[in-house]
Amino acid sequence: MINIYQPQLGEEELQAIKRVFKSNWIGRGKLEQQFKDDIATNLRTETTDYGYTCVKADNLLTINSCTEALFQILDLLNFKPGDEVVIPSVSFIGVANAIEQTKATIKFCDVNDHTLNVELSHLEKVCNENTKAVVLLHYAGVPCDLDPIIEFCKKNNIIIIEDNANSPFSMYKGKNTGVIGDYGTWSFDSMKIMSMGDGGLIYAKDKSNVKKLNENTYLGLLSSSGYSNRVDSKWWEYNISGPGRRSVINDISAAIGLEQLKKVAKFINKRKKIHQYYSKHLSKLSWLRIPLPIPSNCESSYYMYHIQLIDNNDRDKLASYLKENGIYTTFRYYPLHWVEYYQKYSHDLPNTDYAANHTLCIPIHQSLKKSEIKYIVNTIKEYGKTK
Ligand SMILES: *Cc1c(COP(=O)(O)O)cnc(C)c1O
């Protein structure tokens, strides 16, 4: 079976883990700090004709998963009953869960039926005076058109959280996604472009929120307490700011992450080539829609390649046909307003319904061989002949 997503780990990661074992420090330590520093130098907050500015490492913190990152951020926002958080129904389930466990209520919004990204018009339809935050997904790695959304959210005091799991190094007008809104979250789980097994990253625009998040992700311990080894006597005494959880990554994960970070530009370039190959060959098939071109002011991380079958029922048939021929596909993200538990928040979302019935994500990852990519295209073409 050809996998839809697949990590690519090798000798470099193994050697890095070996060094961690030898160092005798496998918990959170120097490598975690270095990972944060190195990823910061890869994330631009601005690009001009004269150069670029990177995000500061102290606006970032590592975390054991992107789901936990979302739980932590939504907890921090301290919502009151009646507050609403807007998310596209095409979102990862963990986003909804993170909102559901706060006092706020979920409000689903629609998306563009072709890009599956949220646009200003979709937000305008569902936002009201109770809307406190919105969680945006840059679907498949293609940035949402953020400028109009940011302007709208500023005017209405709505906090923007970018779920950046699809778009770890995507760019919007010279800035990396994830560091444009108030908060951003990354995932380095086993299905993402770069992986450390499990792991994630948070960006917070306001450094005082990074401080709070650092406490809440490490037992609530105040950074000034003896636990941090920063005092000379009675270092066993400590205090906490509140009942925090423990959501950190260790130096084994960080060591893997550091090696993956060195390779990720190559990974993305490989995915770009696959994307271009698919678009070139599949654009000729009149019975399907290929993704729209990446907007010229953006760069994608090429996390997914989604095709849309124009005829009803064709999507499910093609998915089965490909599976029978050894090619695994899926649809991301099964709309939350169709998930039984969240149907209570369901309302009319016609584009989402269309997308959920017509979209199929086909394999794209950096380990795909040329022969496999050709085989996938040919098998899709073969399916067309059976129609
Ligand atoms: C994978 C993913 C997450 C969650 O990441 P984990 O690190 O597995 O918790 C969140 N959002 C999106 C869009 C994802 O694809």
Side-chain angles (χ1 to χ4, degrees):
M1 188 70 86
I2 299 176
N3 286 335
I4 180 155
Y5 312 120
Q6 190 173 304
Q8 189 176 323
L9 303 153
E11 194 55 36
E12 297 79 10
E13 285 80 5
L14 274 177
Q15 291 305 324
I17 295 170
K18 224 176 199 173
R19 290 194 294 275
V20 180
F21 285 11
K22 282 216 180 103
S23 79
N24 230 1
W25 187 276
I26 64 171
R28 183 169 72 163
K30 284 196 189 105
L31 295 181
E32 184 269 345
Q33 182 62 47
Q34 199 192 329
F35 177 74
K36 208 161 38 188
D37 290 344
D38 285 9
I39 205 160
T41 64
N42 283 282
L43 294 173
R44 299 181 184 185
T45 53
E46 193 81 70
T47 308
T48 67
D49 291 344
Y50 307 103
Y52 58 85
T53 325
C54 291
V55 69
K56 302 274 186 297
D58 50 7
N59 285 98
L60 302 174
L61 69 141
T62 59
I63 189 148
N64 55 6
S65 78
C66 181
T67 303
E68 175 65 8
L70 291 157
F71 269 71
Q72 288 284 354
I73 292 166
L74 285 149
D75 278 348
L76 188 68
L77 295 177
N78 211 4
F79 296 120
K80 294 186 300 296
D83 290 349
E84 293 178 358
V85 180
V86 172
I87 54 172
S89 177
V90 176
S91 285
F92 179 71
I93 183 75
V95 178
N97 294 353
I99 302 165
E100 181 76 353
Q101 53 92 42
T102 68
K103 296 197 173 83
T105 306
I106 295 170
K107 192 80 164 263
F108 291 131
C109 71
D110 216 349
V111 289
N112 179 299
D113 72 1
H114 199 166
T115 65
L116 279 69
N117 266 341
V118 174
E119 291 162 358
L120 176 61
S121 62
H122 307 121
L123 290 181
E124 282 173 335
K125 267 194 198 131
V126 295
C127 287
N128 58 43
E129 65 279 6
N130 297 321
T131 311
K132 291 290 164 354
V134 41
V135 185
L136 298 173
L137 169 67
H138 303 296
Y139 185 83
V142 182
C144 298
D145 188 13
L146 285 167
D147 278 352
I149 294 176
I150 290 168
E151 194 190 330
F152 173 81
C153 287
K154 264 203 186 125
K155 207 164 64 196
N156 293 288
N157 271 318
I158 299 170
I159 291 162
I160 298 177
I161 302 160
E162 297 178 77
D163 175 357
N164 208 42
N166 279 196
S167 46
F169 298 98
S170 297
M171 305 269 283
Y172 175 80
K173 300 187 180 175
K175 301 170 187 179
N176 274 108
T177 58
V179 299
I180 300 175
D182 299 290
Y183 297 90
T185 65
W186 283 250
S187 170
F188 309 120
D189 79 21
S190 60
M191 293 207 283
K192 297 308 187 312
I193 299 174
M194 61 175 265
S195 175
M196 48 172 75
D198 276 304
L201 185 78
I202 299 182
Y203 162 82
K205 189 150 273 170
D206 182 340
K207 281 185 190 141
S208 69
N209 289 328
V210 179
K211 184 172 177 291
K212 286 183 211 157
L213 286 164
N214 269 315
E215 291 166 5
N216 296 346
T217 53
Y218 201 63
L219 303 164
L221 290 169
L222 293 163
S223 24
S224 58
S225 68
Y227 246 93
S228 57
N229 258 334
R230 280 187 207 133
V231 290
D232 294 331
S233 67
K234 294 197 189 190
W235 44 85
W236 43 84
E237 291 183 355
Y238 64 88
N239 195 12
I240 60 168
S241 57
R245 297 197 288 267
R246 189 171 175 286
S247 323
V248 297
I249 65 163
N250 57 52
D251 269 15
I252 301 175
S253 305
I256 301 171
L258 279 163
E259 296 306 316
Q260 290 271 292
L261 197 51
K262 292 179 200 161
K263 302 177 181 178
V264 74
K266 249 190 349 213
F267 290 171
I268 291 173
N269 206 36
K270 176 86 196 282
R271 301 172 89 105
K272 180 177 181 173
K273 295 234 162 75
I274 299 170
H275 202 280
Q276 287 169 340
Y277 184 89
Y278 281 154
S279 291
K280 183 170 166 217
H281 293 275
L282 299 178
S283 62
K284 294 172 192 144
L285 304 178
S286 59
W287 46 275
L288 57 76
R289 293 210 282 187
I290 61 165
L292 289 174
I294 316 293
S296 60
N297 56 11
C298 292
E299 282 173 37
S300 178
S301 299
Y302 300 97
Y303 178 57
M304 298 195 282
Y305 191 92
H306 67 292
I307 55 176
Q308 296 188 312
L309 288 293
I310 291 164
D311 287 354
N312 273 333
N313 305 320
D314 228 9
R315 192 272 312 268
D316 296 2
K317 281 191 211 152
L318 176 63
S320 303
Y321 185 84
L322 292 175
K323 195 147 166 269
E324 281 158 23
N325 285 286
I327 301 163
Y328 189 75
T329 61
T330 192
F331 167 58
R332 289 282 153 82
Y333 291 87
Y334 184 71
L336 296 167
H337 75 290
W338 291 7
V339 174
E340 196 182 339
Y341 184 91
Y342 286 118
Q343 273 169 16
K344 56 189 170 178
Y345 303 127
S346 176
H347 62 98
D348 198 28
L349 300 164
N351 296 349
T352 304
D353 290 341
Y354 174 86
N357 283 322
H358 294 259
T359 309
L360 193 64
C361 305
I362 64 174
I364 184 165
H365 58 78
Q366 52 268 13
S367 304
L368 276 178
K369 297 193 206 64
K370 189 88 200 229
S371 60
E372 291 175 318
I373 302 159
K374 279 188 180 157
Y375 174 67
I376 292 164
V377 167
N378 283 336
T379 313
I380 293 172
K381 283 184 182 163
E382 284 300 316
Y383 169 79
K385 290 181 196 158
T386 71
K387 275 164 60 70

